[in-house]
Amino acid sequence: MSHAELDNQARAILTGNDQGGYTIPTKGLYPYQWNWDSVFVALGFATFDQDRAWREIEMLFEGQWRDGMVPHILFRKDDPSYFPGPSVWGTDGGPIPSSGHSQPPVAASVVHDLLAGDTTGGGEERAERLLPKLMNWHRWYLSYRDPDGLGVIAVIHPWESGRDNLPDWDEALRAVEVRDIGPYERKDTSHVDPAMRPHKEDYDRYLSIVAACRNVGWDPAKVAASCPFFVADPGVTFIFLRANRDLLALAERLGRNEEADEIRGWIAKMEEGAARLWNEDLMAHVAVNERTCKQTDGISSASFLALYAGLTDTRTLSALQGHFDRIAAKVRYLMPSYDPGHPSYEPLRYWRGPVWAMINYMIAKGFAEAGDKARAERLRADTAKLIETGGFAEYFSPESGAGAGGGAFSWTSAIWLSWASSTRAEQAA
Ligand code: GLC
């Protein structure tokens, strides 16, 4: 199929998953509005309907909590095909029923990009309305996911990282006591092959963390102090650092000096804090269990996001180039979500090996900005090949290229349209 035909298909997937202003990731498996999915989706809409792209982000922020948090799922209407739904979460923090934690804060970066490419004439006003909301969300991250001011962002649940089933969470998750969960019926394994989904022991613990936070009324300070899971995540940390740089550019463009000064302070603190995640043996940034101060021992696709975060010093860049080439010699398609040289690597179980298109997009952006156009282009070409062969799947095997998980997936379509398609690359050239 030609890229122009795939462009049409991608647009049809986005409009087919559109629920009237917000987009679901895919039908069946994920029937609600997910936080970072929506934000990437906005990049896709922006290639053919900029007004609709802004709307996606605005609708996400309609669910912002009073304390500033933007939830990972907005349950705009009850759908029994998904578990755990609103009654399990038991939250009351915002205007729309939602889950109780967040997801990677890519929104400021995408708002920055939407404004940069805006031809609607209304972009500046819309960005101005979003700026205080973005500021509040970022303040929430610093207060409640970095309460000790270490300059790294922790997640209170594997799902908050957006990389739900990553081997980096295994040890911290095993330490979570299984309690207060009662009998429950999963729905994910009725939509996709259980061999690709987390095990029951993991699921019991996912729900036990939710129960522990529900027991303290989702009070953010209590959650930070008492949550049985609190792990500093290079993914969220680097996405947040990048988002702060883009938020700063936005504040400067809008002439908001006070906000700009505040953000400069955040950036300085996080640039320093990143050292806490650096694993000298592996020569890469990894996760750190904040409850035990123990670093994890594997390289994940988020280790490469250091460049996207602007940490492009020679040591980091050359270490990541080395890892890139080593991994490229082991698998056919980059970038696997976990190091194929690590014993926990599984090419098709989600977040333990498969490739995600939107992660490739961010990694490539980092390499390109660090001056390494060749590796950035390799990632774009691999992403295009995967979609050509595997379709608009949720994720792909780095070995066979097979598409897996859900089909007709929104963020895969969005990343195709905004970055991977050769028709896009030609426009950008
Ligand atoms: C899975 C992914 C998460 C994503 C969601 C919807 O839970 O791990 O990152 O947001 O699916 O696509």
Side-chain angles (χ1 to χ4, degrees):
M1 203 180 290
S2 75
H3 281 204
E5 283 168 312
L6 285 166
D7 291 354
N8 284 334
Q9 237 187 56
R11 284 188 284 264
I13 289 172
L14 288 185
T15 48
N17 288 339
D18 181 2
Q19 305 293 297
Y22 76 93
T23 309
I24 56 172
T26 186
K27 292 184 182 129
L29 186 61
Y30 302 120
Y32 296 114
Q33 184 174 20
W34 259 258
N35 186 323
W36 71 332
D37 294 68
S38 260
V39 175
F40 288 114
V41 154
L43 287 177
F45 273 120
T47 64
F48 64 100
D49 185 348
Q50 292 191 353
D51 172 62
R52 180 62 187 75
W54 284 103
R55 191 75 202 116
E56 186 79 29
I57 311 264
E58 288 161 354
M59 283 196 78
L60 176 66
F61 276 85
E62 284 175 7
Q64 185 164 31
W65 281 22
R66 291 179 292 278
D67 63 17
M69 197 264 282
V70 183
H72 107 286
I73 309 175
L74 296 181
F75 301 115
R76 286 176 180 276
K77 45 188 176 204
D78 209 0
D79 192 321
S81 70
Y82 183 80
F83 178 86
S87 63
V88 178
W89 289 92
T91 61
D92 181 28
I96 298 171
S98 73
S99 61
H101 57 64
S102 203
Q103 245 191 345
V106 271
S109 297
V110 171
V111 168
H112 168 272
D113 294 354
L114 290 186
L115 182 58
D118 187 71
T119 54
T120 67
E124 198 142 304
E125 221 175 276
R126 295 174 98 156
E128 250 162 27
R129 278 200 299 271
L130 284 166
L131 184 77
K133 299 178 186 184
L134 288 162
M135 292 292 296
N136 281 343
W137 189 21
H138 285 212
R139 288 187 191 111
W140 172 90
Y141 258 112
L142 291 159
S143 303
Y144 303 119
R145 296 299 186 255
D146 183 20
D148 298 327
L150 302 171
V152 292
I153 302 293
V155 291
I156 62 133
H157 196 295
W159 296 342
E160 190 165 56
S161 73
R163 299 183 299 144
D164 306 15
N165 202 29
L166 197 74
D168 286 1
W169 319 135
D170 289 357
E171 200 176 311
L173 196 62
R174 263 198 305 275
V176 172
E177 191 190 338
V178 176
R179 53 179 296 183
D180 302 333
I181 59 173
Y184 66 92
E185 191 196 330
R186 285 170 70 166
K187 298 284 168 69
D188 58 327
T189 41
S190 66
H191 297 290
V192 296
D193 181 355
M196 297 176 191
R197 301 296 297 183
H199 300 285
K200 161 135 175 55
E201 306 84 83
D202 300 326
Y203 232 85
D204 285 350
R205 287 172 176 80
Y206 294 155
L207 295 175
S208 300
I209 302 173
V210 171
C213 297
R214 199 179 54 222
N215 290 344
V216 296
W218 292 102
D219 174 295
K222 290 185 186 157
V223 166
S226 68
C227 183
F229 187 96
F230 203 76
V231 182
D233 172 18
V236 173
T237 297
F238 290 149
I239 286 170
F240 185 64
L241 175 48
R242 169 60 186 241
N244 282 324
R245 294 188 200 280
D246 291 326
L247 193 60
L248 175 60
L250 197 65
E252 283 171 344
R253 169 160 175 183
L254 299 174
R256 305 290 277 267
N257 298 335
E258 237 173 79
E259 284 89 344
D261 278 344
E262 190 180 349
I263 303 164
R264 282 188 201 102
W266 301 343
I267 293 173
K269 181 195 262 188
M270 300 213 50
E271 282 179 339
E272 214 176 294
R276 194 176 166 78
L277 305 181
W278 180 258
N279 182 317
E280 189 62 31
D281 298 331
L282 291 180
M283 295 295 284
H285 295 91
V286 299
V288 177
N289 183 345
E290 294 289 3
R291 299 293 187 229
T292 60
C293 291
K294 202 172 156 202
Q295 285 191 332
T296 52
D297 68 351
I299 291 169
S300 72
S301 50
S303 304
F304 292 91
L305 294 179
L307 306 176
Y308 174 78
L311 305 178
T312 51
D313 56 281
T314 323
R315 182 183 69 159
T316 307
L317 178 60
S318 60
L320 291 179
Q321 287 168 327
H323 289 308
F324 186 106
D325 297 345
R326 176 178 59 78
I327 292 172
K330 286 208 159 100
V331 296
R332 196 145 144 227
Y333 301 100
L334 296 171
M335 178 55 75
S337 39
Y338 216 65
D339 191 333
H342 192 279
S344 297
Y345 165 80
E346 292 179 74
L348 275 175
R349 194 180 291 276
Y350 97 146
W351 293 110
R352 302 179 87 86
V355 180
W356 264 259
M358 85 297 174
I359 300 271
N360 276 4
Y361 159 75
M362 291 187 288
I363 300 176
K365 202 165 181 161
F367 271 111
E369 288 171 357
D372 188 340
K373 301 276 189 286
R375 289 185 180 80
E377 174 51 24
R378 165 77 201 264
L379 284 161
R380 194 200 64 76
D382 279 13
T383 309
K385 252 277 144 1
L386 285 168
I387 293 172
E388 281 164 34
T389 45
F392 293 100
E394 181 176 4
Y395 53 81
F396 304 88
S397 161
E399 294 177 8
S400 69
F409 221 84
S410 293
W411 63 16
T412 312
S413 310
I415 293 298
W416 171 265
L417 288 170
S418 60
W419 176 63
S421 168
S422 62
T423 60
R424 186 69 185 168
E426 277 154 25
Q427 277 168 27

